[in-house]
Every structure is written in C-alpha cells, then in structure tokens.
C-alpha cells in the first residue's frame, strides 16, 4: 500500500516538475504504474547491457524482460486509449531514474506499440524466443 502511495506521490511530483505539455495531462494511475515498472526494468537491462552481461540465461535479466513484456501487453491492450499511452509514457519517465526523459519515453512507448518481437512471449518461452533479445536491444538503443 505504501509503495503504491509513493508511486502516486512521485507521479504528482513529476507532473508538477515536467515542462512537457503532452505528458502533463496523463491521468491513468494504472498506466503510470505500468510505465514506471517498465522504465525501471529498461534501466536495469540497459545497465546489464553496458556491463556486457545482458543474456536470456541471466535470471535478473529475464525478470526485467518479463516486466517489460508485461508492460507491453498492457500497452497493446490499451493502444487506442490516448490517455493510457500518455500516462504510460509519464510512468516511463518516473521509473527511468532521470535517464528516460519525456522525448525518450514517447519514443519507447511508440517502439513498444509497434514491436512484434514480444508477441506471445511469457515466462515459459522467453529463453527460446530469439526475437525477444533483438527487440530488447532495439528498445535499449533508444536509451542514451
């Protein structure tokens, strides 16, 4: 409960601090939470990539990839909802540890929506789905 409250407070603070008008109208708390989880996972995966340890055999990387896939599935299910997409992007900024900004968040949101390499991927087949690592690499390429 406290974690959810903290996330909501971070969202409120972010809305007060951001200068990007396109993300300030985001109001879907579920989407913000999903985006934040995705942002944290992408940052962790990016750190693993920089360390040269990103792999489908690394349990931590698999956990983070599954977090991205969960967020992807939620985003795809709400692809026609513009408020959900804006809120998701806001969450990416929140979870992005100062590395994911509003522009990068919008790019990542669009990349996820247009991704095909994560379709049908789950904990049972992630290690055998070659497109997963390729798609993750493309997403991480958007993070500077």
């Amino acid at each position: 409960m406290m974690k959810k409250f903290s996330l909501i407070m971070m969202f409120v603070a972010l809305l007060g601090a951001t200068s990007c008008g396109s993300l300030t109208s985001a109001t879907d708390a579920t989407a913000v939470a999903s985006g934040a989880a995705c942002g944290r996972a992408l940052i962790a995966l990016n750190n693993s990539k920089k360390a040269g340890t990103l792999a489908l055999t690394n349990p931590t990387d698999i956990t983070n990839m599954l977090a991205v896939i969960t967020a992807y599935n939620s985003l795809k299910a709400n692809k026609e909802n513009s408020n959900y997409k804006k809120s998701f992007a806001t969450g990416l900024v929140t979870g992005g540890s100062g590395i994911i900004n509003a522009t990068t968040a919008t790019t990542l949101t669009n990349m996820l929506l247009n991704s095909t390499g994560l379709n049908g991927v789950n904990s049972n087949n992630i290690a055998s789905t070659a497109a997963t690592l390729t798609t993750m690499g493309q997403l991480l390429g958007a993070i500077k």
Side-chain angles (χ1 to χ4, degrees):
M1 180 70 172
M2 190 63 163
K3 196 174 204 177
K4 287 182 184 179
F5 180 72
S6 296
L7 181 61
I8 291 170
M9 292 309 295
M10 284 180 15
F11 171 67
V12 170
L14 176 67
L15 287 180
T18 186
S19 63
C20 182
S22 66
L23 296 183
T24 59
S25 63
T27 58
D28 189 318
T30 301
V32 171
S34 180
C38 185
R40 285 188 298 275
L42 286 170
I43 294 302
L45 289 167
N46 196 46
N47 291 338
S48 186
K49 177 184 169 191
K50 286 180 180 179
T53 61
L54 183 63
L56 287 171
T57 55
N58 180 333
T60 302
D61 289 344
I62 289 174
T63 299
N64 286 315
M65 286 181 203
L66 288 171
V68 172
I69 291 164
T70 298
Y72 160 80
N73 287 329
S74 295
L75 187 59
K76 280 291 218 187
N78 292 282
K79 67 182 175 186
E80 302 301 324
N81 182 337
S82 63
N83 184 50
Y84 190 95
K85 290 186 282 190
K86 288 178 190 175
S87 297
F88 184 89
T90 298
L92 280 170
V93 174
T94 302
S97 302
I99 296 169
I100 299 174
N101 61 32
T103 301
T104 306
T106 301
T107 299
L108 286 167
T109 299
N110 289 329
M111 287 177 77
L112 279 167
L113 281 170
N114 294 315
S115 168
T116 57
L118 303 179
N119 286 335
V121 178
N122 58 47
S123 60
N124 294 327
N125 67 4
I126 190 168
S128 63
T129 309
T132 301
L133 202 51
T134 301
T135 300
M136 291 297 168
Q138 292 168 345
L139 291 169
L140 297 177
I143 300 172
K144 306 269 186 243

